[in-house]
Amino acid sequence: MGQALGLIQIDQSTVAIKETFGKFDAILEPGCHCLPWCIGQQIAGYLSLRVQQLDVKCETKTKDNVFVNVVASVQYRALADKASDAFYKLSNTREQIQSYVFDVIRASVPKMILDDVFEQKNEIAKAVENELEKAMSAYGYEIVQTLIVDIEPDVNVKRAMNEINAAARMRLAATEKAEAEKILQIKRAEGDAESKYLAGLGIARQRQAIVDGLRDSVLAFSENVPGTSSKDVMDMVLVTQYFDTMKDIGASSKSSAVFIPHGPGAVRDIAAQIRDGQLQGSMI
């Protein structure tokens, strides 16, 4: 009924191109409009003002002869005040934008090596956006934003890059592991040296305590038993320690046969040897 009466409705974010007898007449905004068809007025078409997105995949070659697929995402929209240009001047907007994207990417990427392509993808996107902005503004379109969303090298190149990266990480891990082992060995050696130093101090103090105890025993025995010399007391103490040691060896369950030259005259030699050993230990 509305069309029979010449009434049309235009939705939000959309404009209509009005023609009179086939000639452009006006741009109709969203809302209700009256178009008397009897006087040659009609709607030639509709144009959306919403932001649209076009993904363009372009294959090209880098400066170091690596083929890559670069995917650019272009966001664009028609301008309301230039809707007639957008409607009449371009027959296929998406193909036009795609052609400009191909041209800029294939002019920019061959000047860079593969690593630079990844590092400078924002510069590539900016170059594409600037070129599209200059070209598409004459046709009534605005370029909202251009992004390089993916850079995909050849499969063999990607595999080689992954292997290089893995080898570099393994080399770094080996270096770190060797450094850790070096530090561990140094710390272990320092701990061993400190342990031996403390053990030496302990042995020295033990020997000093033994010497001090023997000295005190000799002095006390000489004072309490008249007529005995220090040598006699030392001989008796050393012989007593000798027999105590023999007793401990015999009582041990893990000891085997022990052959020691023994006789009446051997006690004096043993006492002399023990005395010399104790004196040497105290001197150390």
Side-chain angles (χ1 to χ4, degrees):
M1 179 65 69
Q3 293 181 354
L5 298 176
L7 298 177
I8 63 168
Q9 174 184 312
I10 301 175
D11 297 332
Q12 185 66 33
S13 299
T14 305
V15 293
I17 308 300
K18 175 184 174 183
E19 292 181 348
T20 302
F21 293 111
K23 180 180 179 182
F24 171 72
D25 188 0
I27 298 173
L28 302 182
E29 301 289 339
C32 183
H33 299 271
C34 179
L35 270 76
W37 56 269
C38 57
I39 58 174
Q41 294 183 353
Q42 64 177 358
I43 297 297
Y46 298 89
L47 187 65
S48 175
L49 301 181
R50 296 177 181 177
V51 175
Q52 302 179 62
Q53 178 169 310
L54 173 63
D55 293 331
V56 181
K57 185 175 183 180
C58 177
E59 183 181 16
T60 185
K61 187 176 72 170
T62 63
K63 188 176 181 179
D64 48 351
N65 296 322
V66 177
F67 283 91
V68 294
N69 288 315
V70 180
V71 180
S73 180
V74 181
Q75 298 174 355
Y76 65 98
R77 65 182 175 189
L79 298 173
D81 55 345
K82 294 184 178 181
S84 59
D85 292 336
F87 185 80
Y88 287 106
K89 289 186 176 181
L90 283 180
S91 60
N92 194 322
T93 306
R94 299 175 72 87
E95 287 188 2
Q96 186 79 6
I97 293 176
Q98 181 174 297
S99 299
Y100 281 107
V101 172
F102 281 171
D103 181 66
V104 176
I105 290 179
R106 288 174 176 169
S108 302
V109 173
K111 300 177 182 178
M112 307 176 186
I113 61 175
L114 182 60
D115 291 340
D116 291 341
V117 174
F118 283 96
E119 294 176 0
Q120 301 180 23
K121 69 174 188 175
N122 291 335
E123 286 76 4
I124 298 173
K126 193 65 179 177
V128 173
E129 183 175 340
N130 292 338
E131 186 67 23
L132 285 175
E133 187 69 34
K134 290 188 296 183
M136 300 304 294
S137 60
Y139 301 109
Y141 282 92
E142 175 191 11
I143 304 300
V144 178
Q145 192 172 19
T146 302
L147 302 172
I148 301 297
V149 296
D150 191 18
I151 300 173
E152 185 177 357
D154 182 74
V155 176
N156 295 328
V157 175
K158 187 186 297 185
R159 184 183 302 111
M161 292 174 64
N162 291 334
E163 291 176 355
I164 292 173
N165 188 28
R169 291 182 181 277
M170 291 178 63
R171 183 168 60 252
L172 179 60
T175 302
E176 294 294 334
K177 182 179 179 181
E179 189 67 23
E181 291 179 353
K182 174 183 175 182
I183 295 173
L184 184 61
Q185 292 178 0
I186 292 174
K187 293 299 181 182
R188 187 183 295 115
E190 291 177 352
D192 187 51
E194 183 69 17
S195 176
K196 290 181 179 179
Y197 172 74
L198 295 176
L201 288 179
I203 293 173
R205 290 173 182 174
Q206 179 186 13
R207 291 178 178 176
Q208 185 63 41
I210 293 172
V211 171
D212 293 341
L214 290 175
R215 184 182 63 248
D216 294 341
S217 299
V218 170
L219 293 176
F221 197 90
S222 299
E223 292 176 357
N224 295 326
V225 182
T228 58
S229 65
S230 300
K231 181 177 180 302
D232 296 334
V233 176
M234 268 309 280
D235 289 342
M236 185 183 68
V237 172
L238 293 176
V239 170
T240 302
Q241 290 185 347
Y242 168 73
F243 283 111
D244 289 340
T245 303
M246 294 294 297
K247 178 181 178 182
D248 292 338
I249 293 175
S252 177
S253 61
K254 297 182 180 179
S255 63
S256 58
V258 179
F259 296 94
I260 299 177
H262 187 68
V267 175
R268 185 186 309 165
D269 295 336
I270 293 172
Q273 292 175 10
I274 296 175
R275 187 188 310 110
D276 292 341
Q278 292 287 350
L279 292 176
Q280 292 178 3
S282 63
M283 293 176 61
I284 294 175

